[in-house]
């Protein structure tokens, strides 16, 4: 689906046909013929569009004639519903600078671009194509930071459950978080390398524009912070997964230990009752207080066992 947007009187307006300085946003569903038509309309290489739809494509930039492509990875919720899959995956956003237009294309509807569609980004104007590109990069970093905070909060909640849990469900949830962090580390590293290369080569031609250059510097710093956070969270999870597996195993051992003690306490009265239930001459069989004596004997032996286990700190 191809849509065209332009800022009119400070508000984002959807257009029927492309105009100079408009934003061209391509989102699923789409087909090959539609991509070929857009590429021909804006005189852009078809490979720029198809490469942007490959979820395994690394962050990079490329120039062909006067058309520039920037591929940057961004986090999205995993569309699959498997329990052990990552909560977040990363997919590329293709940003194509073609003449007077900015073209964006993604294989999955993206929360970063949705903020622009909802007009929630201050001073957003697609007619200023370089500023628009910088704002996309900025919002992308904010998206990473937001997702990282959500993952860390989820991790803390799961860890609290693990202290008292003997199930594997929480460990599987931590594994899903760890997978998400692996995606984040790889994508943020690639994005960081992309930003540094664009800065070094002045790919966006902003070296003489102090305001935009400072904004780009801030994006690089924030991306580095997100990368550092991802590495820290990933290292914490890697170092504690085994510990919590041991905690679960220990919780199970404690439960089994308690059940074993209960079994022993119940076995003593059962053994004594079985002994006096034999059809042979036995002590106290002629006494009318035999039942009470047997009960008292069973309780005394059970109490002595309990005192013994307590002195040995077995419970």
């Amino acid at each position: 689906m191809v849509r065209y947007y332009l800022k009119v009187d400070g508000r984002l307006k959807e257009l029927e046909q492309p105009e100079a300085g408009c934003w061209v946003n391509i989102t699923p569903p789409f087909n090959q013929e539609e991509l070929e038509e857009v590429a021909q309309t804006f005189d852009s290489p078809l490979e720029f569009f198809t490469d942007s739809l490959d979820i395994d494509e690394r962050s990079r930039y490329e120039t062909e004639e006067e058309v520039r492509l920037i591929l940057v990875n961004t986090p999205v919720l995993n569309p699959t519903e498997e329990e052990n899959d990552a909560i977040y995956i990363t997919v590329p956003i293709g940003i194509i600078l073609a003449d007077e237009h900015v073209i964006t294309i993604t294989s999955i509807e993206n929360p970063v671009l949705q903020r622009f569609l909802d007009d929630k980004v201050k001073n957003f104007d697609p007619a200023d194509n370089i500023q628009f590109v910088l704002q996309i990069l900025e919002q992308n970093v904010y998206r990473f930071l937001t997702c990282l905070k959500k993952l860390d909060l989820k991790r803390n909640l799961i860890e609290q459950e693990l202290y008292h849990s003997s199930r594997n469900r929480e460990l599987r949830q931590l594994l899903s978080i760890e997978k998400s962090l692996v995606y984040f580390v790889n994508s943020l590293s690639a994005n960081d390398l992309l930003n540094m290369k664009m800065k070094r080569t002045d790919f966006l031609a902003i070296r003489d524009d102090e305001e935009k250059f400072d904004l780009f510097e801030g994006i690089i710093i924030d991306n580095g912070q997100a990368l550092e956070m991802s590495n820290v969270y990933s290292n914490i999870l890697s170092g504690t997964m085994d510990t919590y597996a041991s905690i679960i195993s220990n919780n199970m051992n404690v439960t089994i230990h308690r059940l074993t003690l209960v079994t022993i306490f119940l076995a003593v009265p059962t053994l004594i009752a079985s002994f006096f239930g034999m059809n042979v001459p036995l002590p106290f069989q002629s006494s009318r207080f035999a039942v009470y004596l047997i009960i008292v004997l069973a309780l005394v032996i059970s109490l002595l066992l309990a005192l013994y286990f307590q002195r040995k700190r077995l419970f």
Side-chain angles (χ1 to χ4, degrees):
M1 184 180 297
V2 183
R3 292 183 173 177
Y4 312 100
Y5 300 94
L6 188 67
K7 264 294 185 66
V8 179
D9 297 329
R11 298 181 65 86
L12 192 65
K13 178 182 178 182
E14 185 173 354
L15 307 174
E16 295 293 333
Q17 298 294 330
E19 297 182 6
C22 74
W23 167 28
V24 183
N25 187 35
I26 306 174
T27 56
F30 39 69
N31 51 51
Q32 184 70 17
E33 291 76 14
E34 191 174 25
L35 294 179
E36 291 175 355
E37 182 181 349
V38 174
Q40 185 176 3
T41 300
F42 296 98
D43 195 22
S44 303
L46 180 61
E47 293 77 14
F48 284 4
F49 296 89
T50 55
D51 288 352
S52 302
L53 302 179
D54 183 2
I55 62 173
D56 297 320
E57 193 75 29
R58 287 183 62 83
S59 301
R60 60 184 175 86
Y61 68 82
E62 188 176 341
T63 302
E64 188 167 326
E65 296 180 356
E66 298 298 323
V67 182
R68 292 172 287 177
L69 167 69
I70 300 174
L71 273 178
V72 59
N73 279 293
T74 183
V76 296
L77 283 172
N78 194 343
T80 63
E81 298 181 355
E82 296 294 332
E83 184 179 8
N84 294 333
D85 285 344
I87 300 173
Y88 292 99
I89 60 172
T90 55
V91 297
I93 298 177
I95 308 171
I96 302 171
L97 296 170
D99 196 16
E100 297 179 339
H101 303 90
V102 176
I103 306 171
T104 57
I105 177 171
T106 58
S107 57
I108 300 176
E109 292 189 6
N110 199 291
V112 173
L113 298 179
Q114 190 61 44
R115 288 187 57 82
F116 292 93
L117 294 173
D118 296 337
D119 208 7
K120 292 182 178 179
V121 180
K122 294 181 179 180
N123 304 320
F124 154 56
D125 187 359
D128 189 349
N129 54 5
I130 300 301
Q131 180 72 15
F132 183 27
V133 171
L134 291 174
Q135 288 175 320
I136 293 176
L137 297 177
E138 182 183 38
Q139 293 300 318
N140 186 49
V141 174
Y142 291 162
R143 171 68 178 170
F144 269 109
L145 291 171
T146 300
C147 293
L148 282 169
K149 291 177 182 177
K150 290 180 179 179
L151 287 176
D152 189 48
L153 177 60
K154 187 175 181 65
R155 176 183 62 83
N156 286 329
L157 294 175
I158 294 172
E159 287 181 357
Q160 293 174 12
E161 291 291 331
L162 275 171
Y163 283 112
H164 310 288
S165 174
S166 59
R167 300 173 301 176
N168 292 327
R169 179 172 175 270
E170 286 78 11
L171 278 179
R172 289 197 295 267
Q173 290 177 332
L174 284 181
L175 180 61
S176 296
I177 295 176
E178 189 175 32
K179 289 180 179 179
S180 299
L181 291 174
V182 170
Y183 282 115
F184 282 15
V185 169
N186 290 335
S187 295
L188 285 167
S189 297
N191 289 352
D192 189 58
L193 183 61
L194 168 67
N195 291 335
M196 297 304 295
K197 285 184 176 179
M198 288 197 298
K199 177 185 176 183
R200 187 176 65 252
T201 60
D202 197 22
F203 182 74
L204 297 175
I206 58 174
R207 188 164 294 166
D208 296 329
D209 190 325
E210 184 177 354
E211 182 178 352
K212 292 179 181 177
F213 189 79
D214 288 344
L215 175 59
F216 193 35
E217 286 277 2
I219 292 170
I220 294 174
I221 293 172
D222 290 340
N223 189 88
Q225 177 186 350
L227 176 58
E228 185 177 351
M229 288 173 60
S230 297
N231 280 317
V232 169
Y233 294 162
S234 182
N235 290 336
I236 290 173
L237 274 179
S238 297
T240 57
M241 286 282 282
D242 291 340
T243 301
Y244 286 115
S246 299
I247 290 175
I248 289 179
S249 178
N250 183 68
N251 290 342
M252 182 65 70
N253 290 337
V254 170
T255 301
I256 294 174
H257 179 257
R258 290 172 179 171
L259 291 175
T260 302
L261 292 178
V262 171
T263 303
I264 292 174
F265 293 148
L266 292 177
V268 171
T270 303
L271 177 63
I272 295 175
S274 300
F275 178 77
F276 280 95
M278 292 188 295
N279 191 20
V280 294
L282 294 168
F284 313 120
Q285 65 179 8
S286 59
S287 174
R288 60 175 180 167
F289 300 107
V291 174
Y292 304 108
L293 291 173
I294 293 171
I295 293 175
V296 170
L297 178 63
L299 292 176
V300 168
I301 295 177
S302 296
L303 181 60
L304 291 174
L305 278 174
L307 292 174
Y308 173 77
F309 289 140
Q310 186 177 23
R311 292 190 65 179
K312 294 294 184 179
R313 297 183 179 179
L314 295 177
F315 72 91

